[in-house]
Amino acid sequence: FDTTYKTNKYNLPFAPFVGVSGHGQNFLFACAIIQDETINTFIWLFQTFLECMGGKQPRTVITDQDTSMKEAVPEVFNLSKHRNCLFHVKKKAEEKCCRTFVTKGDLHADFIDIVHNSLTVAEFERLWQEMVQKYDIGVVNYFKIMWKERRRWAPVYFKTDFLPLLHSTSRSEGMNAIFKDNVASTDNVISFMTEYEKISERIQDMEREQDSLTRTTKPTFWVHNELEIQASRMYNRQIFYRFKKQMKFAAQLHVDVVENGSRFEVYKSSMLAEKVFRTRRYLVLANLKQEEFACICGKFQKDGIVCAHILRVLVNLNMAVLPDKYYIQRWKPKDRKYVRDKQFNVPMELTEASRHLRYSQLSTILNEMASDGARTNQKYLYVVNESERIFAGLDEMTKADELRELQARGVVVEKEPPIQMQVPHPDGYDNL
């Protein structure tokens, strides 16, 4: 939620509520033109927004450092986590402390590393104090302010909060840019409402387009292994490509086993480590019996996408696929009203018309079946027995198809005579 922009004609703050769609794109929930930026105005606006959303509060709210918002957000969104925009905090730091950054050597690189890469609260606070002492910046006022307000903006304090693909109000500012391109500075409120509806519909069209791409196009694979095939099935297209980036990053990492089967340390290769300000090792915990994984980076908790560190551990454990519980519903392809291949999200009308597509889909299904069936001997025997039954069924269907083809050509097919068997008679005679 951001009120940086103002309307030219009326000089009133323009306030869009922008979130993240199921495809990871900007999504406009609502917007307002407000008279002022007082606490009472924000409380009224948030209450109105909450009513429009059916009383459902957002999980997390990001705003700038406005003091009125600081009071109004928890008043209305008492179940939401409120944080300040990281981009604005860093931008103010660079503006207010420009001379300090220029004259203090590696201060800026150290500052960015601490803010973005600290893995725990303890590490962040320790490194911050060391930075203040090392560069002698204890008297710089804005560094004092940032330290005092650190729990409202530093990412490390929000590691366990679901805040997918967000750190700042940049999405809101991006939405402002869309309005700026489509609404003239001299437009009145009525004209603005007309354009607002068009822009809102355009955003929804973009979502529908992404659904269509997931439904009708094949994804671009990197290595085409079982994990990547599974992810392409479980994620919509845009999120799958984000996941693929994690796979590529995982290939550049190394892993050390701290405790066999349960504790691992993952770290960057020496070539990548040379490019970072401070090297770190990422602790990954595993419970193989429960198929549970947790990484100190907290990416899955924040973004709902498994991080590269866990993916690297999966490779080390020779696990071909990711447990289904790590594919959250938010990022999955949307269901459709027409009949679909539910497992692979392909419309039935497409598989009916393409033998190649049917072969491709069956190859994926049987590949996953083989992977799962090989886990235990019990599963293996079950798949073998069921395969024999399926082959028998396929053979019957083939014979039926051949019979229909002959009949269509006018060929008379005589039924095969019954098989004769000789049964020994109790009196010694042979009965047929």
Side-chain angles (χ1 to χ4, degrees):
F1 177 75
D2 180 57
T3 57
T4 302
Y5 284 77
K6 294 188 177 182
T7 57
N8 289 17
K9 185 178 180 67
Y10 305 100
N11 197 34
L12 297 176
F14 172 63
F17 291 86
V18 180
V20 180
S21 73
H23 296 279
Q25 297 180 327
N26 289 350
F27 195 85
L28 179 64
F29 291 111
C31 71
I33 297 175
I34 52 181
Q35 182 175 355
D36 53 49
E37 298 181 74
T38 62
I39 296 176
N40 288 336
T41 296
F42 283 132
I43 289 177
W44 168 84
L45 177 57
F46 295 156
Q47 287 174 340
T48 304
F49 175 75
L50 192 60
E51 182 180 348
C52 294
M53 295 294 111
K56 184 176 182 179
Q57 296 191 20
R59 296 278 292 274
T60 309
V61 180
I62 301 181
T63 69
D64 59 21
Q65 294 169 286
D66 184 271
T67 54
S68 297
M69 290 188 198
K70 183 179 179 180
E71 299 293 328
V73 169
E75 177 72 21
V76 181
F77 301 134
N78 58 335
L79 301 179
S80 305
K81 178 75 72 170
H82 180 208
R83 61 180 291 184
N84 293 141
C85 170
L86 176 61
F87 171 78
H88 284 164
V89 172
K90 292 195 302 179
K91 184 179 179 182
K92 281 187 178 180
E94 291 166 351
E95 291 173 352
K96 294 178 178 292
C97 309
C98 179
R99 182 182 295 274
T100 303
F101 281 127
V102 170
T103 58
K104 296 292 183 178
D106 292 333
L107 172 60
H108 187 265
D110 202 349
F111 169 71
I112 295 298
D113 176 75
I114 293 171
V115 169
H116 284 282
N117 301 322
S118 293
L119 297 177
T120 64
V121 170
E123 180 190 13
F124 173 83
E125 295 183 350
R126 174 179 59 81
L127 291 178
W128 186 278
Q129 294 299 334
E130 290 177 0
M131 176 185 68
V132 170
Q133 295 178 6
K134 178 180 178 180
Y135 298 100
D136 192 22
I137 54 175
V139 296
V140 180
N141 189 51
Y142 195 70
F143 274 92
K144 292 181 181 178
I145 295 174
M146 285 192 291
W147 172 253
K148 183 179 179 181
E149 297 290 328
R150 64 190 183 279
R151 295 182 183 275
R152 303 188 64 85
W153 61 269
V156 72
Y157 293 96
F158 302 92
K159 282 179 59 176
T160 59
D161 299 317
F162 185 63
L163 191 67
L165 318 178
L166 282 170
H167 272 304
S168 69
T169 60
S170 59
R171 289 181 181 267
S172 180
E173 292 164 6
M175 193 63 65
N176 283 328
I178 294 176
F179 279 101
K180 192 173 182 180
D181 289 340
N182 292 273
V183 181
S185 60
T186 56
D187 283 353
N188 58 31
V189 173
I190 302 301
S191 300
F192 166 78
M193 287 303 300
T194 301
E195 290 300 320
Y196 170 82
E197 291 180 358
K198 291 180 181 179
I199 292 172
S200 181
E201 182 61 30
R202 193 182 312 157
I203 293 170
Q204 294 182 46
D205 286 341
M206 290 170 62
E207 283 297 293
R208 287 189 283 268
E209 180 182 348
Q210 289 300 324
D211 289 334
S212 177
L213 286 174
T214 301
R215 186 175 69 251
T216 61
T217 63
K218 293 183 180 181
T220 302
F221 290 102
W222 177 47
V223 291
H224 214 279
N225 60 10
E226 292 178 71
L227 176 61
E228 194 174 14
I229 292 171
Q230 180 197 35
S232 71
R233 171 174 57 85
M234 300 295 284
Y235 285 134
N236 64 59
R237 193 67 73 245
Q238 291 300 318
I239 301 303
F240 167 66
Y241 290 143
R242 288 179 180 270
F243 179 83
K244 192 165 67 171
K245 289 182 179 179
Q246 293 298 313
M247 290 186 63
K248 291 180 178 180
F249 182 39
Q252 302 174 354
L253 301 175
H254 297 310
V255 58
D256 288 341
V257 179
V258 179
E259 188 174 332
N260 191 31
S262 61
R263 294 170 67 90
F264 305 84
E265 282 189 354
V266 181
Y267 52 96
K268 293 181 179 180
S269 63
S270 56
M271 182 178 67
L272 290 178
E274 292 176 355
K275 301 177 182 179
V276 299
F277 186 84
R278 188 178 280 111
T279 58
R280 289 176 172 83
R281 298 173 76 91
Y282 295 80
L283 178 65
V284 176
L285 303 180
N287 184 333
L288 299 183
K289 186 176 181 180
Q290 301 293 330
E291 290 190 323
E292 293 181 348
F293 301 90
C295 180
I296 194 172
C297 75
K299 181 175 177 62
F300 180 72
Q301 289 85 345
K302 178 189 172 296
D303 292 335
I305 301 174
V306 170
C307 64
H309 314 111
I310 291 178
L311 294 180
R312 182 64 184 85
V313 170
L314 289 181
V315 173
N316 182 264
L317 293 171
N318 293 319
M319 293 183 63
V321 294
L322 190 65
D324 285 352
K325 59 186 173 184
Y326 291 102
Y327 294 102
I328 67 172
Q329 186 63 38
R330 182 186 187 92
W331 304 135
K332 291 182 179 180
K334 293 182 179 178
D335 294 330
R336 292 294 165 190
K337 294 182 180 179
Y338 46 83
V339 181
R340 309 178 62 79
D341 179 332
K342 292 183 179 178
Q343 188 176 10
F344 291 92
N345 204 44
V346 176
M348 290 298 186
E349 57 266 28
L350 292 183
T351 56
E352 287 175 357
S354 172
R355 179 177 180 179
H356 176 76
L357 182 57
R358 292 195 297 268
Y359 180 85
S360 176
Q361 294 298 99
L362 284 174
S363 297
T364 304
I365 294 171
L366 296 175
N367 187 42
E368 290 196 348
M369 187 183 299
S371 176
D372 192 23
R375 289 177 181 270
T376 65
N377 193 52
Q378 182 183 8
K379 286 186 174 183
Y380 164 75
L381 294 175
Y382 171 77
V383 172
V384 170
N385 291 332
E386 288 298 305
S387 297
E388 293 174 355
R389 184 179 63 83
I390 292 171
F391 277 124
L394 291 173
D395 189 52
E396 290 295 323
M397 293 171 69
T398 300
K399 291 179 180 179
D401 290 339
E402 291 174 348
L403 178 61
R404 280 193 295 269
E405 184 178 353
L406 290 172
Q407 290 174 342
R409 288 158 49 189
V411 178
V412 178
V413 180
E414 296 182 358
K415 292 185 177 180
E416 296 181 2
I419 299 174
Q420 295 181 335
M421 297 180 63
Q422 289 189 344
V423 182
H425 193 274
D427 297 331
Y429 300 100
D430 288 337
N431 264 358
L432 291 181

